[in-house]
């Protein structure tokens, strides 16, 4: 379906002196799974999509990644959506565990993701589509200082 709303955010975590130590992107996009894969969940055709989460090595396991994801959840709710999607490489067990710990669930395995985004060099890698239903005033959100 055509994109009906244009929303994009680049979220950056920084030290008090302004050094960027982590980032992620958020946009509203078509659901990354066929309707048949999610019709029982009533997820809708559009939703916020989290991508490119990265934290500098020295700052990992200190809550930065969690804070970035929580900020994406808050922004998704502000944009009027109650679901958040992402792709993760099926072989990246640490990332899968990270997202599951934050409440994400698998929606489907995506065998064509890299080919769809023009990365034929990585077309042999499968992706897992994860999603999280969001609640206003729930666990979403973080006030963790960085």
């Amino acid at each position: 379906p055509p994109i009906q709303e244009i929303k994009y955010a680049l979220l950056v975590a920084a030290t008090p002196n302004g050094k960027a130590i982590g980032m992620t992107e958020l946009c509203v996009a078509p659901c990354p799974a066929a309707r048949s894969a999610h019709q029982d969940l009533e997820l809708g055709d559009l939703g916020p999509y989290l991508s490119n989460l990265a934290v500098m090595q020295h700052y990992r396991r200190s809550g930065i990644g969690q804070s970035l994801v929580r900020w994406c959840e808050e922004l998704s709710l502000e944009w009027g959506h109650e679901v958040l999607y992402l792709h993760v490489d099926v072989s990246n067990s640490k990332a899968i565990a990270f997202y599951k710990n934050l409440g994400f669930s698998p929606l489907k395995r995506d065998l064509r993701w890299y080919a769809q985004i023009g990365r034929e060099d990585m077309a042999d890698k499968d992706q897992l589509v994860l999603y999280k239903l969001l609640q206003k005033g729930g666990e979403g959100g973080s006030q963790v200082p960085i």
Side-chain angles (χ1 to χ4, degrees), residues 6 21 24 34 43 49 52 62 70 83-84 86 110 115 124:
I6 299 172
I21 57 174
T24 192
L43 298 179
Y49 181 82
N52 301 318
S62 65
R70 298 286 189 221
V83 65
L84 181 57
L86 61 94
D110 192 340
D124 62 332

Side-chain angles (χ1 to χ4, degrees), residues 2 40 44 51 76 79 87 94 105 108 119 126-127 136:
D40 293 344
S51 61
S76 296
W79 288 351
H87 275 90
K94 288 183 180 179
S105 300
K108 76 165 203 142
R119 292 294 309 266
D126 295 353
Q127 293 282 300
K136 292 182 180 178

